[in-house]
Amino acid sequence: MLLTTLLLAAPAIPQATPVRPPQTQKPAARFTPPTQNGVGCSQIGGSFCVPFDSTFDVVPFPATFNACNRNDDGSGQLFLSGWSFDFYGTAWSDVWVNNNGNVSFGVPFSTFSASGFPISSFPMIAPFWGDVDTRADSGADGAVWFREWSTANGDAVNRLVIVWDNVGYFNAESDKLNTFQLILTDGADPLLGAGNNVCFCYDDMQWTTGSASNGVNGFGGVPATVGANQGNGIDFFQIGRFDQPGGAYDGPGGNSDGVDYLDGQQICFSVGAGGTNVPPVFVGATVDYTVDVGSTLMFDVQAIGPETPEVVTLTNDASALANFSTMDTPGNPAVSSATFTPDVTQVGVQTITFTATDDGTPTASSDLVVQILVSPSGSIGSTLCSPNAANSTGLPAVLFAAGNEQASANDVSLFVGNLPPNAFGYFATSQSTGFLPMPGGSQGDFCINGPEVGRYDTAPISATVEGFASQGVDLTQIPHPVLGSVAALAGETHGWQLWYRDSNPGATSNWTNAVRVTFQ
């Protein structure tokens, strides 16, 4: 259980006490705060990296105005259970959660007008440093919540999650709400990726600035800041500064940006090594795409060097991938604009690794793996056993059916991608389903098992060197173990699955997924 204390109970701090930046005096609240009313707290919620549920508790802010600890500029201290958070080489076993969209180390922090990073003498992590005010209690705005996972308490990971749940802005406004999440770990949480110990996760972001920071209706004035600051004036991490609606974004420096750019973003990184160059970060990254044969997929990959004024260069390993091209523009952000118009031989999963490299000292790089599922045009049917076991390519082979679901049209073809180069195999067919794991010692599973399994044993397939194969299906001559062959009729469902040879690492075999088509 995570132990907590309030702002009024300041513990002894072994580290050097940071200095708070100065700020102007805030105007008085525009209403008299109600006393605590004992009403329970409700969660509004959103889409987060870590699901937000009833296991979370409200952060213990002082001078709160109801049972949900609603406040303006408050701070609450949280003690970690048996683990510490590494912030630029300093291990912290406690963290101050500040209502204004950030956490600090050593002392609480009430400053409501954000500064750009780096700031000397003040360590903080800011998923969104702006003037958060949760006092409106209108039923639309939320509160600030937390939950800890600890291996000392039997959990699989060490993780602290803080959620600003649909929070409003000063002065007690709730016409626009921000929803975002901060994750701190010990660097070993697989959710964040290897080595990362911080993640910012955003749902819907609707405002940037409170009225005490010269904002008008939630925008303008002093921009909100997103990033992390070690406090030595050198080491920092900045995503950007935001003061307007819309999705405009020109990197961590430069002009202030549009808050809608953050919607749905998941930005994970490491601040666990002092005095080193932080590798580039991919922002707005989508890693899974789908496209039909003959259609054109266009997408952008964007990476920033969070330590301005770095220049980032993007490259990729897809020079041998036919029908794929990129236009790569270095900068901060660097942008790679990709175009892919696959042909039928590229059915399956195509994997591309983008590498972002900065010009820091020393240089640093990071990778983003993008997978594109290419389907044949006119795909039909549903799948079972998908995905099946990976083969020697590192991917599972993928089976599709395409054509016409009218049995009388007799127009169905089977397409397979991600086979081992030059592999051969046979299609099996059945109207039944039945899961049979690793039959005959194969590395995959058979899931159209049943009494009427037939095999196209006179027509083996052979994959190309790229791992592609296809075969037309005669719906009037479907193999049957007793009747020899049968015809597909309207109302019947027939399934197909491919068994194929492989070497992984020794001689073996495997199975694709199964595809089933209900005919009309």
Side-chain angles (χ1 to χ4, degrees), residues 32 52 163 216 281 339 503:
T32 302
F52 178 44
V163 175
V216 177
V281 175
T339 303
S503 179

Side-chain angles (χ1 to χ4, degrees), residues 220-248:
V222 180
T225 299
V226 175
N229 181 68
Q230 194 273 351
N232 61 4
I234 299 173
D235 296 311
F236 71 102
F237 180 105
Q238 184 162 291
I239 300 298
R241 304 197 70 200
F242 300 84
D243 67 356
Q244 58 193 281

